[in-house]
C-alpha cells in the first residue's frame, strides 16, 4: 500500500530542509525538531507499523520490517537519521513499547548509514534504549504481549553485540578524543560495559530456559515440557536462542574459544532444527564456530563446519539476493569463510565436497592457497586478518595511558597467536610434498632431499636426519587432532588423523599412506543430462 | 582436596557468576591445589584468566604461570593455546611467562631434546607443579606412539629426557611396548595407517529419478 504513494511522492525540498545544518549535533537536533516536516508516507507507515506491533500481526510486521523499512530508509533517509523521537512519539500516542522498538531501529540506521558513525551521545542513548527494551522484556511478571518476526529478533540481538563491539573499538581510539569526551567516557564506564552485555545475554538465556529446551529437544522430547511460562512464548524462546549465538560471537571477539563452543551445547550446528531457520543466524553461527575450531587446531571440525554452511549458501543463494542489506553481510561472511577454509585446507589437506572445491579452484582463492602452501607467511597473515572477527579488549585503556590508538591491539595479538602456530608448522608442507611421491622412503634419503632445499652451506647428514626426525614427530603431532563425532558439546571428540596423507616410521624407514580419490563421473553426467534436458525443453518451446 | 573443590568451584562457573571477581581468590587457591595435587581443571583455570582479562588490576603473574605450566602438562590437547588467547601481547613478554611460552613453542615443534636441556635450567619453576616432567613424558610417549612402529632404544631414551634404564623399562611397560635388542617395538602401525582409495559409489536409487526422466 505504501509503494504507490512512494511513486507519487514528490521528493521536493528534502534537501532544503537540511540546509540549516550547523554541524553541531545538539543544535542540529534542535533545528530538526523545529523545522523538519515528516513526509506523509513516513507518517502513515509509522502509524500503521505501530498498529501492527500492538496487534501482533507477525506476518504484516515481517514485510514492514524487512521490506518497507529498508525501502523508506533508502528513499527518504539515505544519509540522514529517521525522524526524532519527539516527532514520532506524538504520532503514536507516546506508545512506550513502540517507541523503544522505533528507537532501536533509529539508532541502528545511524550506525549503518550516517557518515562518521554515531556520536558519543547517540551511542549512550542507544545503550540506554537497549536497557529499556530488555528491562521491559525481562522484568515483567508474566510474558509481555509482544510478538516480533524471528528475523527481527535475531538482528536485534546481533546488533546489540555489534554496537558493543563498535563502542569498545571507539573507546580504544584515544588519539582523537577531546578531554571533555574522555571525561564523559570515564565518568560513565558502566555504559556498554562488557559485564552488562554478558548479563543481558545470560538473562535472556535463563529467562527462556532455552538450554533446557535444547537439551530435551536433542533427546527427542518436547521442549515445551521444560520451557516454563516464558520459554513457551515465541518471543522469549527465540531471544534466548539468539542470545546463545550472541554469546558465541561475544566470546569469540574476546578470544575465549572454549566458552564460544561450549555455549552452543546441544545445538548441532550443521543440522537444521526448529530454531535455526534464520539464514543470517545460521551463517554467523557457523562462521564463529568454525573459527574457534581453527584456533583450537581442530582443523577437521573447522573444515566440516565451513564446508557444510558454504554448501548451504551455495544452494540457497537465490533466496538471499533479493534482500540487499542482509545480502551484503552474508556475502562478506561467506567470503571470509572461504578464506578460513583455504587456510585450514593448506594446514590440513583433506577431501571436501566437490562444489566447494570448485569454488576454491575458480576464484582468487587458488593463488592464495598456492602461496600459503609454499610457506608465504605474509599471505597467511593477510588471509587471517581479512577473515577473522574484529577482536577487542574487554576493558578500555587505562585512564593515564598515552592518547594513542589501542583498537588494533586485540586483533594484532590473536593474529600473533595464530601465526605462531603457522610458524611451528612451517616445514610440514615441504615434507608432505616429498612424502606424496613415495610409498616407502628411508629417513636418510628424505633428509638429503630436505637439505638440498637450503642452498649454500655444506650440511652434516647426521644432523639433518636428526632435524628431520623432529619435523616428522611434529608432523604427526600437528596432524592428529581432536575431532567431534557425537555428544552434546562441540568440545568433545577423539584424537584422529583426518588429513589425507599419513605415515609411520619403522626404525629408519618411512611408510607412507596416501588417500587416492578416483574421478567422480556421476555428478558430471547428471549435470550434463540436466543441461541437455533443459536445452531440449527450450527447443521444443521455440515457435518458428 | 582438589576433588572436593571441584564441586564447589563448578557452581562458580555457571552463567554470569563466572565473571564475579569475588570468586577469584577461591579460584586462585584451586589453581595452587591443582598444581600441588596433580589435578587439572581447564575450565576453572580459563575462568581465572577471564577474570584477569576483565579486571587487569587483579592480574597475578604467579597464578598465571602455574595455569600455563598446567596447560603444558595436558599436551597434546590445545589447552595452552586456549589460555594464551586470553592473555595480551604485553603479558607474554613478562618473566616468567616468556620462558613458559618458549617451552610451549619447542614442545609444539616436538624438539624434545632442547626442551629437556632448557627445563634443567629452571628447576624452581617446574618443581611447583607435581608430576610436571612425567606429564611431558606422557606427551612424548603419545607422539612416539602415533609415529613409530619400531624405534631405536637410545633415541627413545633421549626423547624422554635421557632417563636411566629402569625408568625406561617402566615407561615401556606402561605403554605395552616391547624391547627387541637395540630397538623398541611400539605398535603395529601397518594395520591403521593404510593407503585409502576413495571410489565413487553410485546406487541405483540415487539415479533412478533422473533415469526415469530421460526416457
Amino acid at each position: 500500500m505504501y509503494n504507490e504513494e512512494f511513486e507519487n511522492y514528490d521528493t521536493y525540498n528534502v534537501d532544503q530542509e537540511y540546509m540549516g545544518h550547523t554541524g553541531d549535533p545538539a543544535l542540529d537536533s534542535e533545528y530538526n525538531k523545529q523545522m523538519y516536516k515528516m513526509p506523509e508516507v513516513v507518517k502513515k507507515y509509522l502509524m500503521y507499523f505501530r498498529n501492527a506491533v500492538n496487534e501482533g500481526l507477525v506476518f504484516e510486521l515481517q514485510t514492514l520490517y524487512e521490506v518497507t523499512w529498508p525501502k523508506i530508509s533508502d528513499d527518504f533517509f539515505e544519509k540522514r537519521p529517521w525522524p526524532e523521537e519527539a516527532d514520532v512519539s506524538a504520532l503514536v500516542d507516546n506508545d512506550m513499547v513502540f517507541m523503544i522498538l522505533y528507537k532501536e531501529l533509529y539508532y541502528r540506521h545511524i550506525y549503518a548509514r550516517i557518515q562518521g558513525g554515531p556520536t558519543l551521545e547517540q551511542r549512550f542513548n542507544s545503550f540506554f534504549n537497549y536497557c529499556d527494551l530488555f528491562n521491559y522484556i525481562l522484568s515483567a511478571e508474566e510474558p509481555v504481549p509482544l510478538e516480533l518476526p524471528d528475523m527481527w529478533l535475531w538482528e536485534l540481538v546481533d546488533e546489540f553485540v555489534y554496537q558493543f563491539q563498535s563502542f569498545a573499538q571507539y573507546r580504544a581510539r584515544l588519539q582523537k578524543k577531546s578531554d571533555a569526551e574522555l571525561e564523559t567516557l570515564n565518568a560513565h564506564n558502566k555504559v556498554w560495559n562488557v559485564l552488562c552485555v554478558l548479563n543481558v545475554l545470560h538473562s535472556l538465556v535463563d529467562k527462556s530456559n532455552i538450554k533446557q529446551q535444547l537439551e530435551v529437544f536433542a533427546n527427542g522430547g518436547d521442549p515445551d515440557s521444560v520451557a516454563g511460562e516464558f520459554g513457551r512464548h515465541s518471543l522469549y524462546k527465540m531471544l534466548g536462542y539468539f542470545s546463545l549465538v550472541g554469546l558465541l560471537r561475544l566470546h569469540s571477539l574476546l578470544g575465549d574459544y572454549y566458552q564460544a563452543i561450549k555455549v552452543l551445547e546441544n545445538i548441532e550446528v550443521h543440522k537444521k532444527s526448529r530454531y535455526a531457520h534464520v539464514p543470517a543466524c545460521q551463517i554467523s553461527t557457523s562462521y564463529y564456530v568454525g573459527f574457534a575450531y581453527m584456533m583450537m587446531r581442530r582443523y577437521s571440525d573447522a573444515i566440516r563446519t565451513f564446508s557444510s554452511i558454504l554448501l548451504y549458501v551455495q544452494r540457497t543463494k537465490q533466496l538471499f539476493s533479493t534482500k540487499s542489506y542482509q545480502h551484503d553481510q552474508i556475502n562478506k561472511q561467506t567470503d571470509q569463510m572461504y578464506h578460513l577454509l583455504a587456510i585450514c585446507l593448506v594446514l590440513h589437506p583433506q577431501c571436501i565436497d566437490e562444489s566447494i572445491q570448485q569454488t576454491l579452484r575458480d576464484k582468487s582463492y587458488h593463488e592464495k592457497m598456492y602461496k600459503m602452501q609454499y610457506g608465504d607467511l605474509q599471505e597467511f597473515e593477510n588471509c587471517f586478518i581479512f577473515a577473522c572477527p574484529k577482536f577487542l579488549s574487554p576493558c578500555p585503556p587505562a585512564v593515564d595511558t598515552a592518547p594513542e590508538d589501542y583498537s588494533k591491539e586485540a586483533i594484532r595479538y590473536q593474529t600473533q597467536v595464530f601465526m605462531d602456530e603457522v610458524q611451528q608448522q612451517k616445514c610440514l608442507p615441504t615434507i608432505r610434498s616429498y612424502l606424496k611421491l613415495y610409498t616407502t622412503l628411508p629417513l636418510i634419503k628424505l633428509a638429503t632431499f630436505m637439505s638440498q632445499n637450503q642452498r649454500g652451506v655444506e650440511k652434516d647428514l647426521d644432523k639433518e636426519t636428526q632435524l628431520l626426525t623432529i619435523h616428522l614427530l611434529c608432523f604427526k603431532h600437528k596432524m592428529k587432532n581432536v575431532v567431534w563425532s557425537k555428544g552434546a558439546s562441540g568440545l568433545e571428540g577423539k584424537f584422529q588423523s583426518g588429513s589425507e596423507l599419513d605415515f609411520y616410521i619403522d626404525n629408519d624407514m618411512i611408510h607412507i599412506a596416501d588417500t587416492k580419490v578416483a574421478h567422480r563421473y556421476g555428478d558430471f553426467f547428471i549435470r550434463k543430462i540436466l543441461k541437455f534436458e533443459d536445452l531440449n525443453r527450450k527447443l521444443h518451446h521455440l515457435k518458428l | 582436596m582438589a576433588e572436593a573443590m571441584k564441586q564447589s568451584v563448578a557452581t562458580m562457573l555457571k552463567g554470569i557468576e563466572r565473571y564475579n571477581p569475588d570468586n577469584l581468590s577461591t579460584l586462585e587457591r584451586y589453581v595452587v591445589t591443582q598444581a600441588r595435587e596433580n589435578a587439572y581443571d581447564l575450565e576453572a583455570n580459563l575462568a581465572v584468566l577471564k577474570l584477569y582479562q576483565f579486571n587487569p588490576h587483579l592480574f597475578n603473574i604467579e597464578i598465571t604461570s602455574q595455569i600455563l605450566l598446567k596447560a603444558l602438562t595436558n599436551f597434546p590437547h590445545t589447552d595452552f593455546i586456549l589460555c594464551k588467547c586470553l592473555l595480551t601481547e604485553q603479558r607474554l613478554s613478562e618473566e616468567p611467562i616468556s620462558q613458559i611460552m618458549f617451552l610451549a613453542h619447542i614442545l609444539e615443534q616436538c624438539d624434545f631434546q632442547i626442551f629437556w636441556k632448557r627445563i634443567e635450567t629452571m628447576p624452581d619453576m617446574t618443581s611447583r607443579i607435581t608430576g610436571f616432567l612425567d606429564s611431558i613424558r606422557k606427551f612424548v610417549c603419545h607422539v612416539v606412539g602415533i609415529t613409530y612402529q619400531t624405534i631405536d632404544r637410545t633415541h627413545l631414551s633421549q626423547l624422554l629426557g635421557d632417563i636411566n634404564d629402569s625408568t625406561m623399562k617402566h615407561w615401556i611397560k606402561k605403554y605395552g611396548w616391547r624391547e627387541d635388542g637395540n630397538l623398541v617395538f611400539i605398535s603395529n602401525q601397518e594395520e591403521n595407517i593404510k593407503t585409502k582409495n576413495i571410489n565413487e559409489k553410485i546406487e541405483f536409487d540415487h539415479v533412478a529419478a533422473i533415469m526415469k526422466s530421460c526416457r
Side-chain angles (χ1 to χ4, degrees):
Chain A
M1 72 185 267
Y2 297 103
N3 287 352
E4 237 169 89
E5 281 166 279
F6 285 141
E7 309 306 329
N8 304 332
Y9 183 73
D10 181 5
T11 49
Y12 58 113
N13 45 9
V14 191
D15 284 317
Q16 285 155 26
E17 285 175 21
Y18 278 80
M19 292 282 274
H21 262 214
T22 59
D24 180 334
L27 286 181
D28 277 350
S29 87
E30 236 2 83
Y31 178 84
N32 290 348
K33 272 175 207 158
Q34 290 161 13
M35 301 298 290
Y36 180 66
K37 283 199 296 293
M38 208 187 300
E40 275 306 305
V41 195
V42 178
K43 267 188 202 167
K44 278 199 170 161
Y45 167 71
L46 289 171
M47 280 153 68
Y48 187 68
F49 198 1
R50 179 229 176 178
N51 237 13
V53 169
N54 278 341
E55 302 193 2
L57 309 171
V58 180
F59 190 72
E60 201 77 359
L61 280 173
Q62 206 160 343
T63 320
L64 290 171
Y65 173 81
E66 281 182 46
V67 184
T68 325
W69 176 276
K71 174 130 180 59
I72 298 189
S73 294
D74 281 345
D75 292 352
F76 295 92
F77 308 107
E78 206 196 338
K79 288 196 169 86
R80 63 175 61 102
W82 275 69
E84 293 297 318
E85 182 180 354
D87 296 330
V88 178
S89 189
L91 277 181
V92 297
D93 312 324
N94 299 316
D95 183 325
M96 192 263 297
V97 177
F98 179 75
M99 281 315 292
I100 294 177
L101 293 173
Y102 172 75
K103 279 195 281 176
E104 203 272 330
L105 293 172
Y106 166 87
Y107 287 118
R108 210 196 288 181
H109 177 76
I110 290 178
Y111 272 81
R113 298 288 188 91
I114 305 302
Q115 263 218 321
T119 62
L120 180 56
E121 196 191 347
Q122 286 165 336
R123 286 174 192 274
F124 275 23
N125 287 336
S126 177
F127 174 79
F128 294 131
N129 189 55
Y130 276 117
C131 293
D132 290 344
L133 174 63
F134 294 127
N135 270 335
Y136 166 68
I137 292 173
L138 288 167
S139 58
E141 299 268 316
E142 51 187 51
V144 296
L146 184 63
E147 215 174 327
L148 299 177
D150 289 342
M151 175 80 85
W152 188 346
L153 295 176
W154 155 248
E155 290 182 345
L156 194 128
V157 174
D158 198 45
E159 178 73 15
F160 177 60
V161 179
Y162 164 75
Q163 289 193 12
F164 163 70
Q165 174 194 319
S166 168
F167 183 83
Q169 245 137 27
Y170 165 83
R171 182 73 183 81
R173 284 192 293 269
L174 296 186
Q175 82 280 27
K176 283 185 202 151
K177 302 247 181 319
S178 67
D179 287 348
E181 272 176 319
L182 285 173
E183 208 165 295
T184 319
L185 284 167
N186 287 329
H188 296 87
N189 53 17
K190 287 273 181 291
V191 177
W192 285 120
N193 181 293
V194 63
L195 284 177
C196 209
V197 177
L198 280 165
N199 200 10
V200 165
L201 296 173
H202 274 289
S203 304
L204 288 169
V205 168
D206 291 345
K207 194 85 177 176
S208 61
N209 286 333
I210 190 69
K211 291 206 143 208
Q212 293 85 330
Q213 293 199 50
L214 285 165
E215 191 179 344
V216 169
F217 180 68
N219 295 322
D222 176 16
D224 277 355
S225 64
V226 290
E229 194 191 354
F230 287 90
R232 269 195 294 272
H233 246 254
S234 163
L235 177 84
Y236 288 88
K237 180 170 63 192
M238 292 321 291
L239 278 177
Y241 181 87
F242 295 140
S243 295
L244 290 175
V245 182
L247 282 167
L248 161 72
R249 177 172 176 185
L250 185 55
H251 289 313
S252 303
L253 291 175
L254 298 170
D256 193 346
Y257 306 113
Y258 184 91
Q259 283 300 316
I261 302 274
K262 192 181 156 76
V263 80
L264 293 191
E265 266 172 15
N266 287 310
I267 300 177
E268 277 200 40
V269 175
H270 48 280
K271 250 196 199 157
K272 287 234 164 142
S273 79
R274 61 199 285 183
Y275 303 98
H277 48 262
V278 177
C281 171
Q282 257 181 299
I283 292 168
S284 182
T285 308
S286 295
Y287 167 75
Y288 287 105
V289 167
F291 186 83
Y293 275 140
M294 184 185 88
M295 290 302 277
M296 295 160 88
R297 213 197 303 136
R298 294 177 64 160
Y299 301 124
S300 280
D301 286 330
I303 291 168
R304 189 193 59 237
T305 309
F306 290 137
S307 3
S308 121
I309 196 72
L310 289 170
L311 211 57
Y312 166 80
V313 173
Q314 246 180 24
R315 286 186 185 146
T316 47
K317 204 152 196 155
Q318 274 109 2
L319 283 181
F320 307 136
S321 53
T322 47
K323 299 165 190 165
S324 67
Y325 74 102
Q326 295 153 5
H327 194 226
D328 290 350
Q329 168 70 11
I330 287 173
N331 270 352
K332 171 97 194 280
Q333 226 160 25
T334 306
D335 194 21
Q336 286 179 315
M337 284 195 282
Y338 272 114
H339 277 80
L340 293 173
L341 181 62
I343 293 177
C344 290
L345 286 171
V346 170
L347 295 173
H348 187 273
Q350 112 178 35
C351 284
I352 54 162
D353 185 275
E354 188 56 35
S355 55
I356 302 289
Q357 187 75 60
Q358 194 57 44
T359 312
L360 287 176
R361 235 178 268 138
D362 283 351
K363 289 210 185 157
S364 61
Y365 306 117
H366 182 76
E367 195 190 326
K368 289 176 180 164
M369 284 180 82
Y370 180 82
K371 280 189 183 164
M372 287 192 276
Q373 257 147 14
Y374 282 85
D376 185 341
L377 294 180
Q378 192 56 49
E379 190 61 45
F380 270 108
E381 199 170 319
N382 294 347
C383 285
F384 182 85
I385 290 174
F386 171 78
C388 71
K390 299 286 162 274
F391 296 107
L392 39 98
S393 323
C395 299
V399 179
D400 52 357
T401 41
E404 283 161 23
D405 185 356
Y406 297 93
S407 62
K408 298 276 186 316
E409 264 185 9
I411 203 166
R412 201 168 55 221
Y413 180 67
Q414 297 293 325
T415 310
Q416 189 52 50
V417 173
F418 173 73
M419 288 309 291
D420 286 348
E421 179 67 50
V422 173
Q423 187 80 42
Q424 289 159 8
Q425 303 194 23
K426 196 166 178 261
C427 286
L428 307 192
T430 319
I431 296 180
R432 188 180 287 118
S433 65
Y434 281 123
L435 292 181
K436 262 189 167 306
L437 305 172
Y438 298 86
T439 50
T440 54
L441 181 65
L443 267 177
I444 295 190
K445 197 165 162 191
L446 181 54
T448 326
F449 292 158
M450 295 291 288
S451 63
Q452 277 164 358
N453 261 354
Q454 304 143 349
R455 269 154 281 163
V457 208
E458 193 69 23
K459 294 275 175 164
D460 168 6
L461 197 58
D462 256 7
K463 244 194 181 148
E464 287 299 316
T465 316
Q466 263 182 26
L467 202 62
L468 172 67
T469 314
I470 292 168
H471 291 328
L472 287 172
L473 288 170
C474 178
F475 190 116
K476 290 293 287 193
H477 162 54
K478 296 285 192 188
M479 289 303 109
K480 191 143 189 128
N481 297 309
V482 178
V483 180
W484 179 89
S485 59
K486 60 182 188 328
S489 170
L491 288 166
E492 293 169 36
K494 287 206 183 94
F495 276 102
Q496 283 179 22
S497 312
S499 188
E500 58 185 20
L501 183 120
D502 203 359
F503 68 89
Y504 66 87
I505 308 175
D506 193 9
N507 195 16
D508 43 21
M509 180 68 87
I510 312 170
H511 296 257
I512 299 128
D514 201 354
T515 308
K516 297 200 170 78
V517 186
H519 264 289
R520 288 163 184 251
Y521 297 107
D523 244 18
F524 175 81
F525 280 116
I526 288 173
R527 241 178 289 139
K528 293 290 167 195
I529 292 169
L530 290 176
K531 207 170 169 187
F532 177 71
E533 289 262 298
D534 193 39
L535 193 68
N536 211 7
R537 207 171 28 246
K538 277 189 192 140
L539 284 175
H540 277 291
H541 285 300
L542 278 186
K543 284 181 191 131
L544 294 172
Chain B
M1 181 154 162
E3 213 31 58
M5 283 185 89
K6 197 181 174 88
Q7 298 301 323
S8 60
V9 162
T11 56
M12 292 181 184
L13 304 177
K14 285 223 171 78
I16 197 76
E17 191 57 16
R18 189 177 138 85
Y19 309 101
N20 185 351
D22 296 344
N23 293 333
L24 187 59
S25 58
T26 313
L27 289 169
E28 286 178 334
R29 245 183 297 130
Y30 186 39
V31 174
V32 178
T33 313
Q34 290 174 51
R36 196 176 52 228
E37 300 183 12
N38 200 5
Y40 187 57
D41 190 335
L42 172 67
E43 201 172 345
N45 296 352
L46 288 172
V48 174
L49 296 178
K50 193 81 184 170
L51 283 167
Y52 293 155
Q53 192 189 37
F54 283 5
N55 310 278
H57 60 285
L58 298 175
F59 181 72
N60 180 328
I61 195 157
E62 170 57 32
I63 296 290
T64 307
S65 306
Q66 296 209 18
I67 290 174
L68 292 173
L69 287 169
K70 283 305 286 182
L72 287 185
T73 66
N74 206 32
F75 264 55
H77 286 273
T78 48
D79 300 7
F80 192 86
I81 300 178
L82 292 171
C83 295
K84 192 175 168 186
C85 286
L86 291 176
L87 300 175
T88 62
E89 202 174 342
Q90 187 209 336
R91 302 276 187 233
L92 289 203
S93 56
E94 289 173 32
E95 293 291 344
I97 292 181
S98 63
Q99 292 178 41
I100 303 173
M101 286 297 146
F102 178 75
L103 291 180
H105 192 62
I106 47 181
L107 269 188
E108 282 285 6
Q109 289 176 294
C110 297
D111 201 341
F112 299 118
Q113 267 145 305
I114 293 193
F115 177 84
W116 296 118
K117 241 180 248 161
R118 178 56 78 102
I119 210 82
E120 261 179 29
T121 65
M122 41 176 86
D124 320 338
M125 192 146 72
T126 52
S127 63
R128 268 171 301 170
I129 313 290
T130 308
F132 181 78
L133 298 181
D134 278 352
S135 301
I136 303 296
R137 289 194 182 101
K138 268 190 204 154
F139 170 56
V140 176
C141 289
H142 160 84
V143 178
V144 168
I146 58 174
T147 310
Y148 283 97
Q149 178 148 298
T150 53
I151 182 171
D152 182 78
R153 199 174 189 283
T154 329
H155 185 208
L156 179 59
S157 141
Q158 281 168 355
L159 292 177
L160 288 166
D162 278 324
I163 48 176
N164 63 35
D165 210 51
S166 64
T167 322
M168 176 87 160
K169 284 204 158 62
H170 159 78
W171 285 99
I172 290 176
K173 193 168 163 229
K174 184 172 166 158
Y175 280 84
W177 299 340
R178 208 175 58 234
E179 289 188 71
D180 191 1
N182 278 337
L183 296 176
V184 178
F185 177 79
I186 304 294
S187 84
N188 194 354
Q189 306 281 11
E190 283 163 55
E191 286 175 9
N192 303 320
I193 303 176
K194 280 189 283 209
T195 294
K196 279 174 273 183
N197 287 308
I198 299 180
N199 290 315
E200 186 176 32
K201 283 189 195 109
I202 299 177
E203 312 227 348
F204 183 74
D205 286 351
H206 294 160
V207 286
I210 201 158
M211 285 167 74
K212 194 175 161 218
S213 73
C214 289
R215 274 192 305 176

